[in-house]
Amino acid sequence: MEAQGPLLVIVDAANVVGSVPDGWWRDRKGAAERLRDRLAAQGLPGRPSPVEILLVVEGAARGVESVPGVRVDSAPGSGDDRIVELVAQEPRRPRLVVTADRELRSRVTELGAEVTGPRTVLG
């Protein structure tokens, strides 16, 4: 099966933001926006272009807008379930999920996605 399209990088915003104890819990939407802006400015370190970055937000972070370079998906329910849906929708495309959530890692690797941890995008 030949790969179709650039690498799709799906970022679990809640998990990545939650990996740094910087007060994110006081402003979840603002923390997700800062992550989005960092991704828009830096892309995915160590991965050559082209990549498509998709930031999945949930709960209090819903409503974060997309910007050039980063598409934002507001999960209607569980962010993890939405990430699994997005991975399943692109079976012929290379996919990389950024999360430290063990259960989510297991679910998406079963669908053929690669997984990396939050440090990949946080440096």
Side-chain angles (χ1 to χ4, degrees):
M1 181 164 63
E2 189 174 324
Q4 296 183 341
L7 175 65
L8 176 60
V9 180
I10 303 172
V11 180
D12 180 354
N15 186 269
V16 172
V17 165
S19 71
V20 179
D22 63 359
W24 58 265
W25 50 89
R26 291 188 293 269
D27 181 11
R28 293 170 194 258
K29 185 176 180 188
E33 288 170 338
R34 288 188 298 278
L35 175 58
R36 175 205 60 199
D37 294 347
R38 181 181 191 145
L39 291 166
Q42 298 178 1
L44 187 66
R47 294 282 179 149
S49 293
V51 297
E52 179 184 346
I53 299 175
L54 178 56
L55 183 67
V56 176
V57 296
E58 65 185 353
R62 282 191 193 101
V64 172
E65 299 291 325
S66 296
V67 297
V70 179
R71 186 165 46 106
V72 178
D73 186 298
S74 291
S78 158
D80 290 1
D81 290 345
R82 181 64 181 143
I83 290 168
V84 171
E85 287 174 17
L86 292 164
V87 167
Q89 288 173 6
E90 300 277 2
R92 297 188 62 166
R93 188 168 177 190
R95 296 145 299 162
L96 176 68
V97 176
V98 182
T99 187
D101 182 302
R102 287 187 185 156
E103 182 184 341
L104 179 58
R105 290 170 81 98
S106 175
R107 292 171 69 191
V108 298
T109 55
E110 287 174 7
L111 296 170
E114 289 181 70
V115 180
T116 191
R119 286 188 188 145
T120 302
V121 295
L122 297 177

